[in-house]
């Protein structure tokens, strides 16, 4: 067998020394075509194979920043050596692996020579080569180039790669949300137009655009100027965004993430420093505490509980303000408009529906601010790192954690980008298990539902309940993932590594931008999609209207009550302004009339399309304590989970006796005899787990490649949620009584 092997590595890693050891006298020195970079070639022979060895110029990176880098990269791309032997200085492992990671990103067959292990040892560094090899997914052979130790093993494993035709898939590292999502878009374009894909992997081309690689930019321009301009525009956009939010730029971000990737590999028991090397960076020092095996998880729980406490405590006041503002608007509008359909549409359909959702804007904003802080500071990546160990037990990956967090793992994300984020998972099984379970997280749309129910029934324990909801969501997601991984998605786990970027102090500007972007999305959604569904559901709750005969009947009954009452109190009710003191007779008459009005409104709601659907479902939903009104809300929630709140808002508004005395929806629920903390708890759990919203289902189907998984998510999640809600209600009823 014959093959070409290129030796690559940082300057001074021992390439030339190793080259001499391997080839002895059989070498030839020349220049790379057209440039004055020295090119050395030689031959290594063993019993069963002969390898043509090329000593590449020393480089720190594979970006076309220097002549050496260009030469090395061109050689790799054009000559396509069968194997690259990456010589790594073991005494300076983290810096040297930076180049190795770039080979992996390129998907080049690579084998690592862990050189200078004698120097490393002298400095008290011990390296577990087998573990390093398992985590990187490539062979790692310890060598001492100066004495020739390990050279035979090294050449054997290089030859094995050729003989066994081992496949190398380009390594996918997350470069942070902003860059990742832009790259996904870019990859689509690059793939569709086959830009440079004859020579390079798709993601790599996108990456080089992101890194502003002059050579690739030039080649791209030559092949497809229009697309090249578009790609550069996309990069520019994300650059500005990074500049504004994190005060950084793509190349720096990418480099940070690569180092983070390396660091997290080394942290997993690969490197053991016997004595204090006296060079701990501040990030490492912080990590010693924050990702400590015992302290870390405790601190993590404390941080999240603290976040909820702060958010709920301080948002209470502004949420109250907004609620009263919407109350005034609603009262004002109903005073102006004449009774009728238009008034009902505007007050009950729009103001009380959408207002219910918008009322929670301050809470959402506080929550997003806290999460932006955790994310921008680099702490969220540590959360993922710590949860990795737990996730493996459930057949998932540490990189699933990021998808869960994006979907609302701490609160207030969205399952749609969460499902997309699973693209960084290499193993298809873990990816599928992740994307089917991310909808269990507490996305921003579920928050107002929880906030409403918590305010109505658990006002004293807001932060605690929210904390329990979060733990419950994770527990549910992990258990379901495990269930899927031992049944429908069986298969063993693949090794993988998390990125640990350095800690940064977030800038206030960056936090403000991130918070506002997400809050604005919430508001926009309330003003568009939620408004639309709110109106549709209002119509379904208003039509068909009660038949005239029924209306006449109610009118007659009302008249009968009036006639039976003392004339004085009737005239008192009609003449005295709102809020004035009434006589006892007048009050009793008013209560009777209100009761009848309520009855009529309820009869009308039940008579409507939505009411009929809700009533039809009641025979089943009663098992979980949900009445027909809740059923309407839950069916609406399939469109978007906020609709649960807006629908309840409309339903209770339609039944309202006196719009001028309207209280917050949470008060209405707390007063309704059909509700109890137990029902609310069941509804919270149901909302956590039932069918993902429509958009998420579409996304799940697309990303999993089959509508079957979308249908599965609807059916399985709803059954699971209902089962849990029934369990809570039935067991709870026994305990309470
Ligand atoms: P290059 O720049 O990658 O070609 O590195 P060189 O082969 O020129 O080596 C740089 C220096 O490191 C030389 O002084 C070598 O003798 C020394 N060196 C190379 N490999 C080893 C090794 O495994 N152990 C020790 N102790 N020194 C080494
Ligand atoms: Mg050299």
């Amino acid at each position: 067998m014959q093959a070409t092997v290129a030796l690559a590595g940082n300057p001074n890693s021992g390439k030339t020394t190793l080259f001499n050891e391997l080839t002895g006298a059989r070498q030839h020195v020349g220049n790379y075509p057209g440039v004055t970079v020295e090119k050395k070639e030689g031959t290594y022979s063993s019993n069963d194979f002969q390898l043509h060895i090329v000593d590449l110029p020393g480089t720190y990176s594979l970006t076309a920043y220097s002549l050496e880098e260009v030469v090395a990269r061109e050689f790799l791309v054009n000559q396509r050596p069968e194997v690259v032997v990456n010589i790594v200085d073991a005494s300076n492992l983290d810096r040297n692996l930076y180049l190795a990671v770039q080979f992996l990103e390129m998907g080049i067959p690579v084998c690592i020579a862990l050189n200078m292990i004698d120097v490393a040892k002298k400095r008290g560094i011990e390296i577990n080569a087998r573990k390093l090899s398992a985590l990187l997914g490539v062979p790692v052979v310890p060598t001492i180039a100066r004495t020739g130790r390990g050279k035979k093993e090294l050449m054997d494993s290089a030859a094995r790669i050729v003989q066994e035709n081992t496949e190398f898939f380009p390594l996918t590292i997350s470069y942070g949300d902003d860059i990742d999502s832009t790259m996904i878009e870019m990859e689509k374009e690059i793939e569709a137009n086959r830009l440079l894909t004859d020579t390079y992997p798709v993601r790599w081309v996108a990456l080089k655009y992101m890194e502003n690689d002059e050579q690739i930019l030039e080649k791209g321009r030559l092949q497809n100027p229009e697309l090249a301009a578009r790609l550069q525009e996309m990069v520019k956009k994300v650059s500005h965004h990074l500049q504004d939010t994190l005060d950084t730029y793509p190349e720096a971000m990418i480099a940070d993430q690569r180092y983070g990737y390396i660091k997290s590999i080394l942290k997993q028991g690969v490197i053991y420093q016997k004595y204090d090397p006296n060079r701990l960076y501040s990030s490492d020092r912080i990590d010693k505490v924050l990702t400590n095996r015992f302290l870390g998880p405790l601190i993590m729980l404390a941080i999240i509980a603290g976040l909820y406490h702060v958010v709920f405590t301080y948002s209470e006041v502004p949420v109250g303000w907004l609620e009263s503002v919407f109350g005034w608007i609603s009262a004002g509008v109903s005073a102006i408009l004449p009774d009728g359909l238009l008034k009902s549409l505007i007050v009950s359909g729009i103001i009380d529906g959408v207002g219910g959702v918008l009322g929670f804007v301050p809470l959402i904003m506080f929550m997003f601010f806290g999460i932006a802080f955790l994310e921008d500071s680099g702490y969220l990546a540590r959360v993922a790192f710590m949860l990795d160990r737990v996730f493996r037990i459930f057949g998932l990956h540490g990189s699933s954690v990021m998808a869960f967090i994006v979907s609302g793992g701490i609160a207030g994300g969205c399952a749609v980008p969460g499902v997309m984020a699973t693209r960084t998972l290499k193993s298809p099984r873990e990816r599928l298990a992740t994307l089917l379970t991310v909808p269990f997280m507490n996305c921003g749309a579920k928050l107002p539902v929880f906030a409403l129910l918590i305010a109505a029934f658990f006002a004293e324990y807001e932060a605690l309940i929210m904390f329990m909801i979060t733990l419950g969501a994770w527990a549910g997601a992990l258990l379901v993932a495990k269930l899927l991984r031992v049944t429908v998605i069986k298969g063993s786990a693949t090794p993988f590594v998390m990125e640990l970027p350095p800690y940064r102090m977030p800038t206030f500007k960056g936090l403000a931008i991130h918070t506002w972007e997400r809050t604005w999305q919430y508001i926009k959604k309330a003003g568009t999609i939620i408004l639309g569904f709110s109106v549709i559901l209002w119509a379904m709750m208003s039509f068909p209207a009660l038949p005239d005969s029924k209306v006449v009947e109610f009118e007659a009954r009302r008249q009968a009550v009036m006639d039976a009452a003392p004339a004085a109190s009737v005239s008192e009710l009609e003449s005295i302004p709102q809020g004035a003191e009434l006589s006892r007779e007048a009050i009793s008459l008013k209560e009777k009339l209100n009761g009848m009005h309520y009855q009529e409104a309820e009869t009308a709601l039940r008579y409507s399309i939505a009411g009929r659907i809700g009533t039809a479902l009641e025979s089943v939903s009663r098992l979980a304590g949900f009445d027909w009104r809740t059923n309407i809300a839950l069916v609406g929630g399939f469109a978007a989970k906020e609709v649960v709140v807006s629908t309840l808002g409309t339903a209770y508004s339609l039944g309202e006796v006196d719009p001028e005395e309207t209280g917050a929806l949470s008060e209405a629920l707390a007063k309704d005899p059909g509700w109890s903390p137990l029902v609310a708890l069941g509804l919270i759990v149901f909302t956590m787990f039932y069918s993902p919203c429509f958009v998420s289902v579409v996304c799940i189907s697309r990303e999993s490649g089959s509508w079957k998984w979308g249908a599965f998510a609807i059916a399985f999640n709803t059954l699971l949620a209902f089962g849990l809600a029934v369990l809570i209600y039935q067991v709870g009823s026994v305990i309470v009584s």
Side-chain angles (χ1 to χ4, degrees):
M1 183 208 72
Q2 266 197 322
T4 302
V5 174
L7 300 185
N10 291 11
N12 284 317
S13 56
K15 278 192 317 307
T16 307
T17 314
L18 184 67
F19 177 79
N20 291 337
E21 267 301 318
L22 291 173
T23 59
R26 288 168 301 164
Q27 48 173 274
H28 164 82
V29 181
N31 274 344
Y32 284 93
V35 291
T36 55
V37 178
E38 188 178 83
K39 182 185 190 184
K40 288 179 151 188
E41 295 173 83
T43 314
Y44 172 89
S45 298
S46 84
N47 292 338
D48 354 284
F49 55 85
Q50 206 177 40
L51 297 174
H52 177 66
I53 315 261
V54 181
D55 185 15
L56 292 182
T59 60
Y60 293 104
S61 124
L62 280 186
T63 323
Y65 293 140
S66 73
L67 187 58
E68 281 76 15
E69 288 172 3
V70 174
V71 168
R73 201 168 86 185
E74 284 297 278
F75 183 84
L76 295 176
V77 172
N78 298 330
Q79 307 296 316
R80 293 197 179 258
E82 276 82 357
V83 185
V84 172
V85 169
N86 180 195
I87 292 130
V88 166
D89 176 354
S91 67
N92 201 356
L93 195 55
D94 44 0
R95 302 238 145 237
N96 273 251
L97 283 178
Y98 190 72
L99 181 65
V101 165
Q102 295 180 68
F103 286 126
L104 298 177
E105 284 173 333
M106 240 178 137
I108 287 178
V110 66
C111 163
I112 289 179
L114 196 58
N115 197 31
M116 307 221 197
I117 46 166
D118 55 330
V119 181
K121 199 167 205 167
K122 244 182 253 158
R123 295 195 193 157
I125 302 166
E126 251 170 60
I127 295 163
N128 184 339
R130 197 170 317 151
K131 194 141 201 182
L132 180 60
S133 162
L135 289 172
L136 288 175
V138 299
V140 175
V141 182
T143 59
I144 303 176
R146 236 185 358 208
T147 64
R149 208 189 104 184
K151 73 174 176 188
K152 187 179 171 328
E153 292 82 349
L154 182 65
M155 289 299 106
D156 285 347
S157 53
R160 207 170 308 128
I161 288 176
V162 183
Q163 282 159 342
E164 290 173 5
N165 207 359
T166 317
E167 268 194 281
F168 285 77
F169 297 101
L171 168 69
T172 312
I173 297 184
S174 161
Y175 306 110
D177 268 356
D178 296 321
I179 294 185
D180 281 352
S181 52
T182 308
M183 277 191 36
I184 288 174
E185 292 304 310
M186 293 170 74
E187 283 167 48
K188 272 192 221 142
E189 298 268 0
I190 291 167
E191 190 155 30
N193 293 287
R194 317 206 49 200
L195 185 76
L196 306 181
T197 50
D198 289 346
T199 348
Y200 309 105
V202 174
R203 188 174 163 87
W204 193 82
V205 176
L207 180 60
K208 291 295 124 172
Y209 265 89
M210 211 40 106
E211 287 183 295
N212 251 318
D213 186 295
E214 275 307 327
Q215 200 196 19
I216 295 295
L217 291 186
E218 183 62 39
K219 286 187 180 179
R221 261 197 299 274
L222 282 176
Q223 194 191 322
N224 186 343
E226 187 268 329
L227 175 60
R230 205 140 31 94
L231 292 175
Q232 279 183 279
E233 201 45 50
M234 292 165 100
V235 172
K236 211 177 196 178
K237 208 166 136 208
V238 77
S239 302
H240 283 313
H241 185 80
L242 285 178
Q243 194 69 52
D244 286 344
T245 53
L246 299 173
D247 195 21
T248 181
Y249 49 98
E251 290 100 305
M253 191 78 193
I254 290 169
D256 276 352
Q257 297 291 113
R258 282 186 187 134
Y259 276 119
Y261 177 80
I262 293 166
K263 197 157 91 184
S264 67
I265 289 187
L266 299 186
K267 253 180 97 80
Q268 298 184 45
V270 166
I271 193 161
Y272 175 63
Q273 181 71 260
K274 267 205 223 138
Y275 31 80
D276 185 14
N278 223 353
R279 49 169 211 117
L280 273 186
Y281 303 109
S282 60
S283 270
D284 295 319
R285 231 173 296 148
I286 298 173
D287 271 341
K288 272 220 139 68
V289 182
L290 290 191
T291 63
N292 176 284
R293 196 177 272 263
F294 303 104
L295 271 182
L298 291 179
I299 296 175
M300 175 174 81
L301 290 179
I303 286 178
I304 292 170
L307 171 75
Y308 293 163
H309 179 74
V310 169
V311 167
F312 277 97
T313 310
Y314 292 98
S315 69
E316 202 168 319
V317 174
V319 165
W321 290 339
L322 267 192
E323 268 174 357
S324 15
V325 167
F326 284 112
W328 292 329
I329 297 177
S330 164
V333 172
S334 40
I336 297 166
L337 291 176
D339 280 345
L341 268 186
L342 181 69
K343 175 170 168 174
S344 169
L345 167 65
I346 294 180
V347 174
S348 301
I350 298 178
I351 301 176
D352 289 346
V354 175
V357 176
L358 283 182
F360 291 107
V361 163
L363 186 139
I364 298 281
M365 209 157 107
F366 277 49
M367 192 69 98
F368 285 161
F369 187 85
I371 290 173
F373 187 90
L374 296 183
E375 192 173 355
D376 290 3
S377 64
Y379 183 69
L380 274 193
R382 271 69 189 180
V383 171
F385 182 82
M386 284 186 277
L387 290 177
D388 177 36
R389 231 170 293 156
V390 182
F391 265 53
R392 278 159 197 270
I393 301 171
F394 293 92
L396 292 176
H397 258 186
S399 43
S400 314
V401 177
M402 252 9 242
F404 278 89
I405 290 177
V406 170
S407 307
I410 295 180
C414 174
V416 171
V419 169
M420 304 294 253
T422 61
R423 287 188 180 177
T424 50
L425 267 77
K426 270 188 287 183
S427 142
R429 284 185 296 267
E430 278 121 359
R431 174 155 189 246
L432 189 56
T434 310
L435 69 80
L436 286 175
T437 45
V438 291
F440 293 145
M441 295 294 114
N442 300 318
C443 68
K446 292 182 199 170
L447 272 189
V449 184
F450 299 151
L452 172 70
L453 296 174
I454 291 175
F457 297 99
F458 309 102
E460 283 140 75
Y461 313 101
E462 287 175 323
L464 177 70
I465 296 278
M466 192 59 217
F467 191 66
M468 301 306 286
I469 288 175
T470 306
L471 288 186
W474 284 83
L478 288 178
L479 289 174
V480 169
K482 183 74 188 174
L483 179 71
L484 293 175
R485 289 287 275 115
V486 297
T487 55
V488 278
I489 330 176
K490 256 189 274 194
S492 61
T494 38
F496 104 100
V497 176
M498 303 277 322
E499 295 91 25
L500 279 186
Y503 286 103
R504 292 197 191 89
M505 191 62 205
T507 61
F508 185 75
K509 193 177 156 206
L511 292 179
I513 292 175
H514 274 154
T515 306
W516 178 244
E517 277 173 353
R518 290 172 196 174
T519 309
W520 178 236
Q521 261 173 12
Y522 180 85
I523 296 174
K524 247 190 351 207
K525 193 172 167 197
T528 53
I529 302 175
I530 308 299
L531 176 66
F533 283 117
S534 199
V535 169
I536 292 173
L537 279 154
W538 167 82
M540 288 174 67
M541 287 189 264
S542 302
F543 300 102
L546 273 186
D548 285 343
S549 61
K550 277 269 181 196
V551 177
V552 169
E553 195 186 310
F554 271 106
E555 194 48 50
R557 273 164 58 190
R558 196 167 9 242
Q559 201 53 54
V561 171
M562 297 273 254
D563 291 346
S569 56
V570 175
S571 65
E572 194 184 339
L573 262 193
E574 281 166 353
S575 60
I576 287 181
Q578 279 294 329
E581 286 276 333
L582 292 173
S583 66
R584 210 148 37 93
E585 289 85 9
I587 291 176
S588 116
L589 174 60
K590 188 177 173 183
E591 272 170 4
K592 265 193 203 135
L593 288 175
N594 283 354
M596 291 184 62
H597 182 101
Y598 182 76
Q599 236 184 9
E600 183 178 357
E602 187 180 306
T603 314
L605 185 55
R606 262 195 200 273
Y607 191 76
S608 70
I609 301 181
R612 289 174 206 196
I613 296 174
T615 310
L617 290 172
E618 214 174 28
S619 58
V620 181
S621 73
R622 269 281 162 229
L623 290 173
F626 300 159
D627 71 355
W628 55 286
R629 275 202 198 84
T630 310
N631 293 345
I632 302 175
L634 290 172
V635 171
F638 176 62
K641 296 275 157 79
E642 295 100 329
V643 174
V644 174
V645 173
S646 61
T647 306
L648 285 174
T650 303
Y652 277 84
S653 170
L654 286 174
E656 219 138 60
V657 179
D658 199 343
E660 276 123 88
E661 279 174 15
T662 168
L665 176 56
S666 55
E667 285 165 31
L669 294 186
K671 270 188 273 177
D672 189 315
W675 284 78
S676 67
L678 196 56
V679 174
L681 189 65
L683 186 56
I684 287 177
V685 170
F686 188 82
T687 307
M688 283 164 71
F689 292 111
Y690 90 112
S691 168
C693 68
F694 179 69
V695 185
S696 302
V697 169
V698 171
C699 201
I700 288 173
S701 308
R702 213 176 39 209
E703 291 297 313
S704 64
S706 161
W707 285 98
K708 264 189 284 177
W709 289 117
F712 175 83
I714 296 178
F716 177 82
N717 294 11
T718 306
L719 280 177
L720 172 72
F722 188 65
L724 289 173
V726 170
L727 190 73
I728 289 174
Y729 185 68
Q730 298 298 343
V731 173
S733 300
V734 172
I735 295 172
V736 170
S737 63

